[in-house]
Amino acid sequence: MSATLQTTETRTMTGAEIVLQALKDNGVEVIFGYPGGAVLPLYDALFQQNAIRHILVRHEQAAVHAAEGYARSTGKVGVVLVTSGPGATNAVTGLVDALMDSIPVICLTGQVPTHLIGNDAFQEADTTGITRPATKHNYLVKDIKKLAGTVHEAFYVAKSGRPGPVVIDLPKDILIGKGPYNEAPQAPHRSYRPQTEPDMTSIRAAVRLLKGARRPIVYAGGGVINAGPEASRLLGDFVRMTGMPCTHTLMGLGAFPSEDPQFLGMLGMHGTYEANLAMHGCDVMLNIGARFDDRVTGRLNAFSPNSKKIHADIDPSSINKNVKVDVAIVGDAGAVLKALIECWQADEQPQDRAAIAEWWRAIDGWRGTGCLQYRQEGSIIKPQHAVKRLYEITREMGRETFITTEVGQHQMWAAQYFGFQKPNRWMTSGGLGTMGYGLPAAMGVQIAHPDALVIDIAGEASILMNIQEMGTLAQYRLPVKVFILNNEYMGMVRQWQELLHGSRYSESYSEALPDFVRLAEAFHARGMRVTEASQLDDAIREMIAHPGPVIADIAVAKDENCFPMIPSGAAHNEMILAPGQEGGVTGVTDEGKVLV
Amino acid sequence: MPDPSETTLRNATIAVLVENEAGILARVVGLFSGRGYNIESLTVAPVDADRRLSRITIVTSGTDMVIEQIKAQLDRLVPVHKVSDLTLEGPHLARELALIKVVGRGEARMEALRLADAFRARVVDATIESFVFEMTGAGEKLDAFIALMRPIGLAEVSRTGVVAIARGPGGFEA
Ligand SMILES: Cc1ncc(C[n+]2csc(CCOP(=O)(O)OP(=O)(O)O)c2C)c(N)n1
Ligand SMILES: [Mg+2]
């Protein structure tokens, strides 16, 4: 059959079959979902085929986080299927999470039949209305002739430019009706054609600034991860050939290897002293694929006051949004890095290597503060130590390891003490900060990487927000390890209350916690509890060695705070360090208190 | 280059060419309300039936940085073809249409007619005690006429909001 024949050929199928065919044609192998009346035709079609595997979650929010974990660890689009009404509304948190972190996800939602839309029918919700600000784009399919084309377009939209979640709302009559199947069009999209190749004038301007820099820094974010592993490799090449220090946002961890001496650690609110002071003191900053988020910049009018700023982003609306930059580069991070490297090599201007060596001496001085040092003494396990040992032991074992997290102090300790040498190994809810993200995300990662070690570094409060997914782990024999840093507090809330609200611990104590060992066992998993520092290493080894899912409940120091910390509303050079470390400041201003 | 410390506001008349599809207006309006941008006026109508295109004209105000943001945010909406800042991109025409009902008898009625004539407002409906005037022009001209009608017997006003187009031969193609 000739190529033209194939693309013009149409077959008639039911709407449900069209959806599955379109998913298959877009390379989908697995979907995460939960059935209900409005999507029964799709479940019926799923039952009658083998190409697409369906993973039955226990809550629709978890389906979206699982799809996010799948997407982030593979670079593919994650796919979700939920019913109308409550199925769709339950998915909303996941959609906003994917929107904030730029994760490509497609969420198929059931809808009441077209003739009932607007009638307050049973399980009707205005899904496209509700999800409009929760998605990159959404569709309500009212004409079966447009169904196949809409699914193809949704994939294009989800993964092109700045990726994000897309909802396709599917009325039941459309799923049951018959219509034509069209293959994905070859023609470019009518209106959405984001720029991926950078403009060379801005690349040259960037290189000119960078070559002349005396105190440069590379600040890279999730855009580099989203651009694919090749972009991370190019980032490494660029950082090494230029001799510049490199720091990452929470979303960027793994793009540049943490063990490389040019890596300064994470920056921002709980970033390292050296990364934040280098950001503050640099003279030229290259931001690739990060968005000058408030967790990163601190007080805007004090952010890196004396630097020229270059910002490369695939989303023009991210540029000059919070911070005015001197050189704007619109493009895919990989394409930008490739162009920067080529232009750098072609440019004759020498670097001021002496000045840069001087800059490194200053950075090494800040490093000398040892801002992530802690003292593990006695039998009470320090949470930092638990993460550090988890990292060291998995590293010794050499197993391919993926880490997800919940949200809170444990998340920041994971970011600080677990090192990532490769992209796509770290999945955390950065923009939305969704407690309950880590367990379902780990599920999605494990589905994509059945033989890898997948660990959710959790808090005892967060884990309860999607604990029902232990059932999914059991059903599909997913050997996810849940590593709970149990401080008996919503630790991050407690920390803010200690520092900002006179230690009045309002509603932040984790009262009436379950027995996590028996809870694990009730879900057919292995449960472990560790209370003594001396037991920690053996327990970690045992957890990893167990072939099935595990909950390891690690009792850690209850009152430990996460440092360094730039309080909201403070500048990078107004960091609070751990007690006993020198160089920081203390206190939070009144203006800072209104900030989140 | 926009400067974040800059606080002076400017007006901007922005033309947006979009797919003529359900929900597009909600997306645009949602963008403005969700991000706290100001809308002074917004008009929309199909302009090319064959190619299913509509044109939205938005009058807004903000700092340079905010207006840059508004344009970039509009441009990344999937059904948006093109965004143009008419205020920045050279001379343009901006027009608005108003229907203005004035009620009164005797001398007030005569005064309304005289002023309407001076402002080139057309009478499109009349009874013994009322007129409806139709008037097209720049917003300030409409404002001035409406202000004059108020003491005379202004009863009701309906305005379209601004439509605008660049002067000269340049087009605004999808
Ligand atoms: C869904 C949701 N609700 C509330 C919050 C606010 N919040 C942020 S961290 C946190 C406490 C988390 O406690 P835990 O999971 O025990 O983690 P820890 O900070 O103790 O490590 C809360 C309530 C949130 N991020 N997400
Ligand atoms: Mg806790």
Side-chain angles (χ1 to χ4, degrees):
Chain A
M1 210 185 286
S2 80
T4 46
L5 253 183
Q6 247 172 16
T7 51
T8 53
E9 180 199 45
T10 55
R11 286 167 278 162
T12 302
M13 317 179 180
T14 68
E17 288 164 351
I18 291 173
V19 171
L20 292 188
Q21 185 64 43
L23 294 183
K24 230 184 308 177
D25 285 359
N26 284 284
V28 174
E29 291 165 1
V30 56
I31 63 183
F32 301 90
Y34 206 91
V39 285
L40 284 179
L42 262 170
Y43 275 85
D44 199 36
L46 269 172
F47 191 79
Q48 299 178 48
Q49 56 86 54
N50 292 316
I52 296 175
R53 186 174 176 211
H54 178 272
I55 304 296
L56 177 68
V57 297
R58 299 316 192 243
H59 186 292
E60 289 87 350
Q61 180 195 350
V64 187
H65 294 324
E68 288 185 271
Y70 182 90
R72 289 177 70 164
S73 65
T74 59
K76 296 193 216 162
V77 177
V79 182
V80 176
L81 168 58
V82 299
T83 194
S84 65
T89 56
N90 268 353
V92 169
T93 299
L95 293 171
V96 179
D97 192 88
L99 182 71
M100 295 285 274
D101 285 346
S102 311
I103 311 303
V105 165
I106 288 183
C107 180
L108 308 166
T109 55
Q111 183 53 280
V112 300
T114 29
H115 69 275
L116 287 181
I117 289 179
N119 283 31
D120 298 330
F122 178 63
Q123 293 197 329
E124 179 182 1
D126 174 9
T127 301
T128 44
I130 291 168
T131 62
R132 200 171 288 123
T135 53
K136 178 173 175 186
H137 194 54
N138 63 15
Y139 303 89
L140 167 62
V141 181
K142 288 170 113 174
D143 174 0
I144 194 163
K145 290 199 282 305
K146 296 194 176 144
L147 180 56
T150 302
V151 179
H152 295 310
E153 181 174 318
F155 275 86
Y156 167 77
V157 169
K159 65 189 180 197
S160 315
R162 178 172 176 179
V166 176
V167 160
I168 312 176
D169 203 21
L170 299 164
K172 195 168 181 183
D173 54 324
I174 298 288
L175 292 176
I176 291 171
K178 290 212 171 197
Y181 182 76
N182 323 88
E183 263 144 61
Q186 303 300 309
H189 192 271
R190 267 169 65 85
S191 54
Y192 186 66
R193 295 188 289 268
Q195 177 182 348
T196 53
E197 285 300 318
D199 156 56
M200 282 315 289
T201 325
S202 55
I203 293 286
R204 278 191 290 272
V207 167
R208 211 169 308 125
L209 276 180
L210 288 163
K211 275 264 166 113
R214 300 166 60 81
R215 299 185 309 280
I217 189 161
V218 177
Y219 143 47
V224 178
I225 311 271
N226 271 339
E230 175 66 5
S232 293
R233 202 183 56 71
L234 291 168
L235 175 70
D237 290 353
F238 183 76
V239 169
R240 286 185 199 103
M241 70 192 275
T242 59
M244 295 175 185
C246 177
T247 177
H248 273 320
T249 64
L250 183 69
M251 297 298 295
L253 295 176
F256 189 74
S258 74
E259 293 193 351
D260 191 295
Q262 277 172 261
F263 186 58
L264 304 190
M266 180 174 75
L267 83 166
M269 184 173 274
H270 293 291
T272 65
Y273 190 62
E274 50 271 31
N276 286 330
L277 285 192
M279 287 289 281
H280 191 80
C282 68
D283 69 343
V284 179
M285 173 189 299
L286 171 62
N287 167 350
I288 305 186
R291 56 188 176 89
F292 292 111
D293 173 80
D294 57 73
R295 297 287 105 154
V296 156
T297 60
R299 189 167 78 243
L300 267 181
N301 63 8
F303 173 67
S304 193
N306 302 314
S307 60
K308 295 270 185 212
K309 299 176 186 73
I310 303 160
H311 186 183
D313 205 295
I314 194 141
D315 178 3
S317 77
S318 283
I319 300 177
N320 287 320
K321 181 173 67 182
N322 304 330
V323 170
K324 170 193 178 300
V325 298
D326 301 276
V327 178
I329 306 174
V330 176
D332 171 80
V336 169
L337 281 159
K338 188 159 168 285
L340 283 174
I341 290 171
E342 280 165 13
C343 186
W344 180 276
Q345 284 165 336
D347 188 282
E348 310 274 80
Q349 191 191 338
Q351 260 181 303
D352 188 343
R353 284 278 177 179
I356 293 174
E358 180 83 15
W359 175 228
W360 271 111
R361 275 192 291 280
I363 291 172
D364 287 337
W366 298 324
R367 265 183 176 161
T369 306
C371 69
L372 294 181
Q373 276 169 17
Y374 59 87
R375 251 191 297 263
Q376 173 61 50
E377 291 162 333
S379 66
I380 297 174
I381 303 167
K382 288 257 180 180
Q384 300 93 323
H385 183 65
V387 176
K388 187 144 180 273
R389 288 307 295 151
L390 183 68
Y391 172 53
E392 287 163 354
I393 292 170
T394 53
R395 191 141 174 74
E396 277 163 30
M397 290 183 164
R399 285 237 344 241
E400 189 78 275
T401 303
F402 294 79
I403 299 292
T404 70
T405 75
E406 306 293 333
V407 172
Q409 291 179 317
H410 63 276
Q411 175 190 29
M412 292 299 119
W413 285 318
Q416 292 172 331
Y417 295 93
F418 205 100
F420 296 92
Q421 315 311 314
K422 290 185 200 160
N424 307 99
R425 302 297 187 277
W426 162 248
M427 344 285 137
T428 194
S429 171
L432 195 63
T434 312
M435 290 169 71
Y437 170 88
L439 176 54
M443 238 156 62
V445 174
Q446 190 82 75
I447 291 283
H449 307 274
D451 301 323
L453 174 61
V454 183
I455 305 173
D456 172 24
I457 299 182
E460 83 295 335
S462 297
I463 193 64
L464 291 178
M465 285 215 180
N466 269 319
I467 193 70
Q468 77 287 345
E469 297 308 317
M470 290 301 296
T472 312
L473 295 187
Q475 180 176 348
Y476 298 96
R477 298 176 197 286
L478 300 174
V480 167
K481 317 301 181 206
V482 179
F483 190 75
I484 302 178
L485 300 182
N486 187 344
N487 52 10
E488 292 178 28
Y489 274 100
M490 297 172 191
M492 192 56 94
V493 174
R494 194 203 55 73
Q495 173 166 349
W496 281 52
Q497 289 173 332
E498 179 184 330
L499 299 177
L500 283 89
H501 298 278
S503 298
R504 291 178 294 279
Y505 299 130
S506 178
E507 303 295 327
S508 55
Y509 183 66
S510 291
E511 199 76 54
L513 281 172
D515 176 336
F516 283 107
V517 173
R518 284 163 60 197
L519 185 143
E521 286 164 3
F523 278 108
H524 321 287
R526 174 76 179 275
M528 300 167 61
R529 174 150 173 95
V530 186
T531 53
E532 298 277 322
S534 58
Q535 309 164 333
L536 181 67
D537 283 17
D538 286 346
I540 291 172
R541 290 204 172 82
E542 196 183 324
M543 172 187 87
I544 294 170
H546 184 71
V550 177
I551 295 182
D553 179 15
I554 315 291
V556 297
K558 299 190 210 304
D559 54 358
E560 194 67 20
N561 283 334
C562 184
F563 292 120
M565 175 176 182
I566 302 176
S568 293
H572 276 179
N573 59 346
E574 297 166 354
M575 218 171 317
I576 306 179
L577 294 179
Q581 287 175 348
E582 276 175 34
V585 299
T586 47
V588 178
T589 61
D590 282 344
E591 302 93 84
K593 277 196 193 172
V594 305
L595 301 169
V596 181
Chain B
M1 197 62 64
D3 181 346
S5 60
E6 175 69 65
T7 52
T8 38
L9 302 185
R10 74 166 173 99
N11 282 310
T13 302
I14 299 172
V16 193
L17 209 56
V18 301
E19 291 281 292
N20 178 12
E21 63 179 32
I24 177 66
L25 199 56
R27 282 181 213 288
V28 170
V29 172
L31 175 68
F32 276 73
S33 62
R35 294 190 182 262
Y37 306 142
N38 172 29
I39 302 185
E40 266 150 43
S41 117
L42 185 148
T43 63
V44 58
V47 289
D48 186 334
D50 292 344
R51 294 163 66 210
R52 303 195 314 274
L53 294 176
S54 291
R55 180 168 170 138
I56 300 176
T57 308
I58 301 167
V59 181
T60 181
S61 64
T63 61
D64 274 338
M65 201 156 155
V66 166
I67 289 169
E68 285 308 308
Q69 259 300 297
I70 291 175
K71 290 186 285 182
Q73 293 288 352
L74 284 168
D75 206 28
R76 76 182 186 140
L77 295 178
V78 170
V80 167
H81 284 264
K82 209 170 166 189
V83 178
S84 169
D85 184 342
L86 295 172
T87 308
L88 267 197
E89 282 161 24
H92 67 279
L93 299 163
R95 291 290 180 271
E96 202 179 336
L97 183 143
L99 295 172
I100 300 147
K101 186 178 287 183
V102 180
V103 176
R105 288 175 183 258
E107 187 46 34
R109 200 171 153 74
M110 296 318 294
E111 185 60 20
L113 263 191
R114 273 194 295 275
L115 287 165
D117 197 43
F119 274 78
R120 300 218 182 92
R122 289 202 305 136
V123 176
V124 287
D125 179 66
T127 67
I128 348 168
E129 52 176 345
S130 71
F131 287 118
V132 174
F133 297 111
E134 175 196 309
M135 186 171 172
T136 313
E140 308 83 78
K141 180 179 152 190
L142 270 53
D143 292 343
F145 182 69
I146 291 164
L148 284 172
M149 289 303 111
R150 189 153 283 130
I152 295 175
L154 183 71
E156 200 178 330
V157 179
S158 177
R159 294 171 72 151
T160 57
V162 173
V163 293
I165 201 161
R167 285 183 185 269
F172 185 51
E173 283 296 304

